[in-house]
Amino acid sequence: MNIDVRQYLQTKAKANPKIVALPESTEERILRAAREALDLGIARPVLVGSFDAIRSIAARLDVSLEGISIADPANEAVVDSYVARYRESNSTFPPKALKRMLKNPLNFALMMEALGEVDCTVAGLVHTTSEVLLAAQSILGMQEGIETISSMGIWSIPGFQGANGDLLIHADCAVCPDPSPSELADIAISTADSTRCLLDLEPRVALLSFSTKGSGMHEKVDHVLSALEIVHQRRPDLLVDGELQLDSAILPAVAARKMQDVGPVAGRANILIFPDLNSGNIGVKLVQIFAKAEAFGPMLQGFAKPVSDLSRGARVTEIIGAITNVVVLAQSNA
């Protein structure tokens, strides 16, 4: 059974819209996305930046700010309050350093999220990916039990009928270049949890390789097997298997032919974990170009609270999609 991913996620977001911080609020696309997100009922946007500048640009663009909050990092009383509250649980940064950091709207937005003033953050039109990742890791910290920042994405593939219709989830195809076995295990666990939260699916995780159950012998295969063992130890509740070639992971007939003990994952996997960023990035582009797949993501994962990193060229519809995704992820933190 196929589902409309975009509509499915928007319906979930509308059921419990969360507060999203947008720290690049002098950008036209952000302002228009904030307006649309509020009008659609998927989120309650907070524009972070200069109060006067945001209002001036919105007026020039004829974008109504009715119902949209503005948080100005120039408000010294608010900054002092945030610094004091943050340091009650995290004394990593001295007060003066924190005050300097909070002059930056991205840091201010993430501080709001860390303190529970907002539920999630979307950035990336102005800031680089590395800037977003570093700020989020420094201020929000990592999800309990996870030490690796990664990303996951969703494909809707025309003509494909797998265990969950035309959907396949994939990771990591955007962040972690050459994951160690422990990092690969983190990616698998994070992606399984994200999949359950976003799509309400039972995760069936395939750790991909050029080998299926010993058909190939190489240190790269051993790498994947080590990751599998770590996942089994840390999360015995998850359905995960490897090493599996792509066809063994998603095609039941191939899995039955290549394996003696197929189990609940092989041939029926809905999550594909690539062994490294080379294969992941290439795989994503192959599926998008040749299979004409619609892609959702990449979505960041691993942080203590939801953050989304936009492409510099993201369109308003893509920003709306990112807002929707982090709102749904934030619902599980409530």
Side-chain angles (χ1 to χ4, degrees):
M1 177 179 176
N2 298 338
I3 65 170
D4 183 325
V5 175
R6 183 177 290 104
Q7 186 59 49
Y8 185 82
L9 292 173
Q10 283 198 4
T11 299
K12 287 193 71 173
K14 290 176 183 178
N16 186 13
K18 296 297 183 180
I19 306 172
V20 57
L22 301 169
E24 297 163 332
S25 297
T26 54
E27 294 292 310
E28 177 178 352
R29 286 168 290 169
I30 293 293
L31 289 170
R32 296 197 183 283
R35 180 72 262 162
E36 187 172 343
L38 183 64
D39 290 345
L40 286 171
I42 61 175
R44 291 176 284 160
V46 174
L47 303 175
V48 180
S50 165
F51 185 86
D52 292 338
I54 292 170
R55 289 183 64 85
S56 174
I57 294 170
R60 176 168 55 82
L61 296 172
D62 196 26
V63 175
S64 169
L65 297 181
E66 183 178 357
I68 298 177
S69 301
I70 298 176
D72 194 336
N75 188 323
E76 292 186 11
V78 171
V79 168
D80 288 342
S81 172
Y82 284 179
V83 169
R85 289 168 58 193
Y86 187 74
R87 281 181 53 80
E88 288 177 3
S89 58
N90 189 331
S91 58
T92 303
F93 300 104
K96 287 185 178 180
L98 274 178
K99 287 183 180 182
R100 287 195 300 271
M101 288 171 60
L102 293 184
K103 292 180 180 180
N104 181 318
L106 174 61
N107 292 334
F108 192 91
L110 291 166
M111 179 62 74
M112 294 181 73
E113 186 173 357
L115 295 173
E117 300 286 329
V118 301
D119 302 300
C120 42
T121 300
V122 173
L125 284 191
V126 175
H127 298 87
T128 64
T129 295
S130 61
E131 288 172 337
V132 174
L133 297 184
L134 179 59
Q137 187 171 12
S138 299
I139 296 172
L140 294 178
M142 301 298 292
Q143 178 185 336
E144 185 177 354
I146 299 294
E147 298 180 352
T148 307
I149 302 167
S150 64
S151 71
M152 61 87 75
I154 304 168
W155 285 317
S156 176
I157 308 172
F160 174 69
Q161 285 300 309
N164 295 109
D166 64 357
L167 296 186
L168 275 176
I169 294 89
H170 51 275
D172 171 16
C173 303
V175 177
C176 197
D178 189 20
S180 67
S182 178
E183 290 171 332
L184 201 58
D186 273 349
I187 293 167
I189 292 168
S190 294
T191 308
D193 290 341
S194 296
T195 296
R196 197 189 302 273
C197 175
L198 288 165
L199 298 172
D200 302 302
L201 297 177
E202 178 68 24
R204 289 185 298 278
V205 185
L207 300 180
L208 297 183
S209 174
F210 63 82
S211 168
T212 294
K213 296 298 182 179
S215 66
M217 305 286 287
H218 193 274
E219 62 183 18
K220 293 290 188 181
V221 177
D222 296 338
H223 198 86
V224 174
L225 289 172
S226 296
L228 177 66
E229 184 177 352
I230 294 170
V231 176
H232 282 323
Q233 290 172 351
R234 290 172 50 191
R235 289 290 298 274
D237 59 301
L238 292 179
L239 298 177
V240 56
D241 202 1
E243 83 284 14
L244 295 174
Q245 292 166 289
L246 176 64
D247 53 358
S248 298
I250 62 174
L251 300 177
V254 175
R257 187 167 65 247
K258 290 187 175 184
M259 301 170 61
Q260 292 183 344
D261 181 13
V262 174
V265 174
R268 302 180 62 238
N270 53 19
I271 297 175
L272 306 177
I273 303 298
F274 288 92
D276 56 43
L277 194 54
N278 272 328
S279 56
N281 186 272
I282 292 166
V284 165
K285 288 176 169 51
L286 284 171
V287 175
Q288 287 182 255
I289 293 170
F290 293 111
K292 309 299 182 186
E294 186 173 11
F296 303 88
M299 307 167 207
L300 293 178
Q301 51 189 16
F303 297 117
K305 295 188 176 186
V307 180
S308 183
D309 175 45
L310 300 167
S311 164
R312 300 289 189 93
R315 298 167 295 179
V316 171
T317 54
E318 293 169 320
I319 300 170
I320 293 292
I323 291 172
T324 303
N325 296 339
V326 290
V327 165
V328 174
L329 290 171
Q331 290 172 351
S332 67
N333 289 343

